[in-house]
Amino acid sequence: MSSSTSVRDDDAPDLVCQIDCVHGMVDALSCVRWKRHQDAVMELSEHGIVLSVEESGCLQGKVFLKRELFVEYDYGGDGRQRFGLSLGLFVDCLNIFSSPGHASAVEIRYPGPDMQLLLKSVGSPDACLYAEIRTRIPDTVSWDYHFEHDGNTPVTFTAKSAVLKETTDDLEWPGSSIQIRMQPDPPTVILKGEGHGDLQIEFPYYANTDLLIAFQCDHEVSYRYKYKFLRATTSNIPSTVMKENRRTKVSIGRGGMLKIQHLVSLARPGMPYFRNIGGGTEQTSRIAHIEFFVKPEEDDNDA
Amino acid sequence: MKFKAFFTDDGISLLDKRFLPAMDKVGRVCHVFFTPTHAMLLHNLLGATAAGPDGGGPQCVAQFAKDLLFREYNVSSRNGNQIAFSVEVALLHRALRSVLAVHAQPPAAGDATGAPAIQVKLVNKLPAGSRTATPFLTFETKGARAAVVQDVPISRPLSRSDIERLQAALDAAKDLPQTLVQVPDLPQLQSLVDRLKNVGDLLTVAVTQYGDLHLQVSTSLVTVGSEFRKLRVIGDRANAPVGDQNLTSSTRMDMAVERGEALSVQVNMKHLVKSLHCHLAKPDCTFYGIAPGGACLTVVFQYFIPGTRLADKSISFYCRLPVLDPGSN
C-alpha cells in the first residue's frame, strides 16, 4: 500500500488549481449546458481551462476560464491536455461543493490515478468533501467552427444580455427557423421567425441606445438559424449576468457563422479583492468568457 | 387490557415539539408500545431479524421512562402488562395539538384551580354505523371554555407472539456498536446528504476508531464523498497512523478497514435521509457507529438533563439502518 502511494505521490498531476468561488464557475459552465446529459471536452494548458460542448455539427459552446481566475494555477503538462467528461456530472459535482454558507475553496486536479478529474474542498483540515469524475478519451474528429470576418469590417452588434435572452424567448412562438438580418442603412438588426406564424423584432441602432450598445455593419447580411440552436445560446445565461447588466456581443462571420459572446462573473460576493496567482486583482475583473458558434441553415442564404 | 395515564407538561411538550414531528418523517405509521416501566414509539421493529433490521426501512426507537411522559400511569394486560398497537403518527400528533390548544385556554377570572391535566386512555368504542367495537386512543382535557375528547383510531392490540417479537427486536437492538463517533452538526450533515442523494442511491458509510466518519456515493462515472475527521469517539478507539494526512480520503479509509480499525457498510440513501429527519427531535448529541460484523448502521441520539451536560437516561432514541451488503466486511 505504501509503495503504491509513494509512486502516486511521485507522479505529479498535470494540473493543480484552486478556485475560491465555485458558484461563479457553476454559472459559467451551466451557460453551455443546454440539456441534461451532455458530453464535453476539457482542454488544459498553461493559459487556463477551456471547456467545449457541441451538438449536431451545428452548435458549439465554449467556456474560457483563464488562469488569472484561479487562486492557484499550476500546470505542468506537455502542451495541451484534452479529455472528455460529462458536463452534467461536472456541474452537479461542483454544485455539491457550493452549499449555502460554506464557501470553501475547491482544488481541481488532473489526472487522478485512473485519469479522473479530482475535486477536493480545501481549507478545513478536519472535514473534506471530494469528487472523482471519470474522464474519457475525446473524439479525434475536430469540430469545424472556424470563424473569420466576412470582409474588412466585422459585422457585429452588442446588446444587453437580458434583452437578447428576452428576444430569443419571444421568438419561440413562431419557432423553427430564425432569420437574423443586419443592414447598415438605417443601421438595424432584424430577427424574424417564420413557422406557426410570423414574428419580427427590430433593433434600430439610433432609435434606442438601450437596445443596441454597439453596431458595426458595412453591407447587408442575412442568414437563417435553427431556433433550438439560437435558444441554447441564451437559455442558461445565469442570473448574475442580468443583475450586473452585462452585454453580449453577436458577430456574423464568413458563410454566416454566428458567434455569440457572453461574460459571466466569477467574483465572490462581498469580497472586493482577491489574491490570484498573479498577485491580486479586483473581483470585478474576474470574468469567464463564454462563446457560442452557430452554423446557418443551408440553402437559405439571402446575402 | 387497560391503559390510562395523565401527561406531564414536559412529556406532552416533548412529543408535540420534538418526537412526533420526527417520527412522522421517518414513517407514516408507527407502533406505540407501553410496558410497566416505559412508553415507546417504534418504526419498523416487526419483521426485523435477530441479526439486524430488514430491508424495509430504518428501525427507529424512541423510548421514554414512564415518569417522563406520564403520571398516574396504569397499564395492565395478560401479556405481562405490555400493550402495543400501531397508529398513524400524523393523526396522533393532530389529536395531541388539539387537546393542547384547549388545555392552553386561560382560566376564567376567579377560577383558582389550575388547568386540568390531559388524560390518555385506551377505549373500545362502537363507531356510528358499525356493529363491532373499534379500539381508540382517547385524549381528554378541559379548558376554561371547552372540553375536548379526541379519539385516535388505532390497530387492534398486537398479539402475545407479536409483542414477544417486538421485545426480542428491541433486545437485539440494544447492543451498541463498539465505536461511536459524534457528528458535530446534524443539519450540516443533512444538507450534505441532500446534495449527495442526487448522485446515487447507495451510500458507503465508514467509521474509524480514530474518530473519522466517511460517506461516499459511487457510480460508474463519478465518486463523491465526504470525510469528517477527529470526531469525538466513544468506545473502542485507536491513534491515527502518523503521516496518513497526506493520503486521499478513500485510501485512508481503505487502509483503516484493512487494519481492522474501521468498519464500512453500504446503506440505502433513502434510509439515511429518513434517519436524518430525526434531527427534528432536537437531540443534544448524535453518534454514528457500525454494529459488529457490519450488521447495521446505528445512529444514537443523546439528550442532556436540562441545564447540565449529563446524559438524560430517561430518553433513549436511536435508529438502525439496514445494510445492503453485509458480507463485504
Side-chain angles (χ1 to χ4, degrees):
Chain A
M1 184 62 75
S2 59
S3 63
S4 70
T5 306
S6 64
V7 169
R8 192 182 303 166
D9 287 347
D10 291 343
D11 289 338
D14 291 338
L15 174 72
V16 180
C17 63
Q18 207 179 98
I19 191 145
D20 66 339
C21 179
V22 182
H23 193 72
M25 193 161 173
V26 167
D27 274 355
L29 296 173
S30 299
C31 221
V32 296
R33 189 186 183 188
W34 53 78
K35 58 184 182 186
R36 183 156 174 76
H37 299 291
Q38 211 171 351
D39 283 334
V41 172
M42 248 174 123
E43 192 171 282
L44 315 176
S45 71
E46 59 184 308
H47 305 295
I49 298 173
V50 182
L51 181 133
S52 311
V53 286
E54 202 273 347
E55 180 158 328
S56 311
C58 294
L59 169 66
Q60 185 185 41
K62 282 187 163 191
V63 180
F64 295 88
L65 300 164
K66 54 184 191 288
R67 58 182 279 139
E68 288 78 14
L69 295 175
F70 295 87
V71 180
E72 280 179 25
Y73 192 91
D74 184 8
Y75 183 75
D78 294 331
R80 291 169 184 269
Q81 294 279 336
R82 291 175 85 239
F83 58 89
L85 84 171
S86 158
L87 174 63
L89 269 181
F90 188 28
V91 172
D92 288 347
C93 283
L94 283 171
N95 259 325
I96 291 174
F97 287 81
S98 69
S99 79
H102 294 86
S104 66
V106 174
E107 182 189 85
I108 301 174
R109 271 175 188 256
Y110 179 82
D114 293 319
M115 304 302 284
Q116 312 100 314
L117 183 69
L118 307 176
L119 311 178
K120 189 174 84 171
S121 66
V122 289
S124 170
D126 296 336
C128 164
L129 189 61
Y130 63 89
E132 301 169 5
I133 304 170
R134 312 284 187 275
T135 62
R136 58 174 176 74
I137 299 166
D139 298 331
T140 50
V141 181
S142 63
W143 295 331
D144 175 25
Y145 290 92
H146 182 62
F147 183 91
E148 57 181 352
H149 290 296
D150 187 12
N152 293 328
T153 307
V155 177
T156 176
F157 70 89
T158 303
K160 284 184 181 165
S161 304
V163 171
L164 197 68
K165 178 177 167 52
E166 198 176 328
T167 305
T168 313
D169 289 349
D170 287 346
L171 286 165
E172 185 175 15
W173 165 63
S176 181
S177 171
I178 306 297
Q179 181 190 50
I180 300 180
R181 193 164 85 231
M182 288 177 69
Q183 59 188 43
D185 191 20
T188 310
V189 177
I190 301 163
L191 295 102
K192 187 176 177 185
E194 287 176 337
H196 305 301
D198 291 358
L199 177 66
Q200 181 165 305
I201 299 171
E202 293 185 12
F203 289 177
Y205 181 49
Y206 292 128
N208 188 343
T209 49
D210 274 351
L211 286 178
L212 283 189
I213 293 140
F215 181 88
Q216 210 171 19
C217 173
D218 62 354
H219 62 285
E220 182 173 321
V221 291
S222 173
Y223 291 94
R224 308 186 72 84
Y225 303 89
K226 271 205 179 309
Y227 177 73
K228 68 170 183 178
F229 296 145
L230 276 188
R231 189 174 181 279
T233 65
T234 57
S235 58
N236 289 308
I237 294 177
S239 58
T240 53
V241 169
M242 318 293 184
K243 276 186 208 153
E244 292 165 7
N245 216 6
R246 293 201 179 271
R247 301 160 181 194
T248 293
K249 185 177 178 185
V250 180
S251 311
I252 297 179
R254 191 181 299 275
M257 179 72 82
L258 185 69
K259 181 178 175 184
I260 297 176
Q261 295 166 286
H262 303 301
L263 303 174
V264 175
S265 170
L266 266 69
R268 194 167 159 184
M271 293 188 69
Y273 296 97
F274 94 109
R275 183 156 294 280
N276 72 352
I277 49 162
T281 183
E282 287 183 19
Q283 287 275 0
T284 48
S285 63
R286 301 181 71 190
I287 301 295
H289 293 254
I290 318 291
E291 285 185 2
F292 288 94
F293 297 92
V294 187
K295 287 185 183 172
E297 288 185 332
E298 289 177 359
D299 304 321
D300 275 330
N301 188 347
D302 301 326
Chain B
M1 185 175 295
K2 283 181 185 167
F3 168 71
K4 188 172 162 184
F6 291 92
F7 277 110
T8 61
D9 288 345
D10 285 347
I12 201 159
S13 171
L14 271 178
L15 290 178
D16 176 45
K17 299 277 193 277
R18 297 185 177 211
F19 284 91
L20 288 180
M23 295 302 273
D24 193 25
K25 284 280 188 183
V26 177
R28 193 175 62 86
V29 176
C30 77
H31 279 117
V32 176
F33 188 21
F34 295 121
T35 72
T37 53
H38 290 91
M40 286 171 249
L41 300 171
L42 311 168
H43 270 300
N44 294 321
L45 262 287
L46 282 184
T49 63
D54 67 355
Q59 286 185 349
C60 187
V61 175
Q63 177 177 287
F64 310 92
K66 68 176 173 60
D67 294 336
L68 180 68
L69 292 191
F70 303 109
R71 56 187 175 79
E72 297 177 40
Y73 177 87
N74 292 302
V75 58
S76 64
S77 77
R78 289 180 203 157
N79 299 328
N81 294 330
Q82 294 178 324
I83 300 174
F85 52 85
S86 58
V87 63
E88 202 169 310
V89 184
L91 285 183
L92 192 62
H93 196 191
R94 203 190 303 169
L96 214 63
R97 279 202 305 260
S98 163
V99 291
L100 269 171
V102 173
H103 183 248
Q105 287 175 356
D111 188 356
T113 58
I118 298 172
Q119 190 189 57
V120 56
K121 61 183 177 185
L122 271 180
V123 296
N124 262 323
K125 281 190 178 176
L126 206 59
S130 172
R131 290 185 175 182
T132 51
T134 310
F136 291 93
L137 192 61
T138 294
F139 298 86
E140 281 182 36
T141 192
K142 282 180 190 165
R145 295 180 301 279
V148 67
V149 177
Q150 285 280 358
D151 291 332
V152 179
I154 59 173
S155 71
R156 300 205 69 79
L158 296 192
S159 64
R160 176 187 291 269
S161 63
D162 279 345
I163 284 183
E164 281 169 0
R165 282 173 59 211
L166 207 57
Q167 189 59 57
L170 276 170
D171 292 342
K174 273 182 185 157
D175 291 337
L176 281 177
Q178 286 161 335
T179 299
L180 284 165
V181 293
Q182 182 180 350
V183 179
D185 187 348
L186 208 54
Q188 187 193 340
L189 185 64
Q190 189 175 24
S191 152
L192 170 72
V193 171
D194 279 344
R195 286 173 280 147
L196 288 181
K197 74 182 179 191
N198 298 322
V199 180
D201 298 330
L202 290 184
L203 183 76
T204 302
V205 182
V207 175
T208 71
Q209 295 176 3
Y210 331 128
D212 300 346
L213 174 69
H214 195 135
L215 310 175
Q216 190 184 75
V217 188
S218 195
T219 69
S220 58
L221 290 173
V222 67
T223 299
V224 184
S226 184
E227 186 188 36
F228 300 90
R229 305 193 72 198
K230 298 180 182 169
L231 303 175
R232 186 179 154 214
V233 180
I234 291 181
D236 291 355
R237 69 186 71 204
N239 291 324
V242 179
D244 78 337
Q245 66 271 17
N246 297 325
L247 305 174
T248 66
S249 301
S250 307
T251 309
R252 222 173 4 235
M253 197 53 56
D254 291 344
M255 289 168 72
V257 172
E258 277 177 23
R259 279 196 293 263
E261 292 169 341
L263 284 174
S264 166
V265 290
Q266 273 198 327
V267 296
N268 187 325
M269 181 70 83
K270 285 180 187 163
H271 292 171
L272 188 77
V273 171
K274 274 192 174 183
S275 72
L276 283 167
H277 287 310
C278 289
H279 87 86
L280 290 172
K282 299 169 197 156
D284 292 317
C285 298
T286 305
F287 297 90
Y288 275 75
I290 294 170
C296 68
L297 175 68
T298 304
V299 192
V300 180
F301 305 98
Q302 195 179 51
Y303 290 83
F304 294 146
I305 295 167
T308 73
R309 300 282 294 173
L310 300 171
D312 186 346
K313 292 187 177 163
S314 60
I315 304 177
S316 168
F317 188 32
Y318 56 90
C319 286
R320 296 173 86 223
L321 278 67
V323 298
L324 302 172
D325 188 13
S328 65
N329 292 302

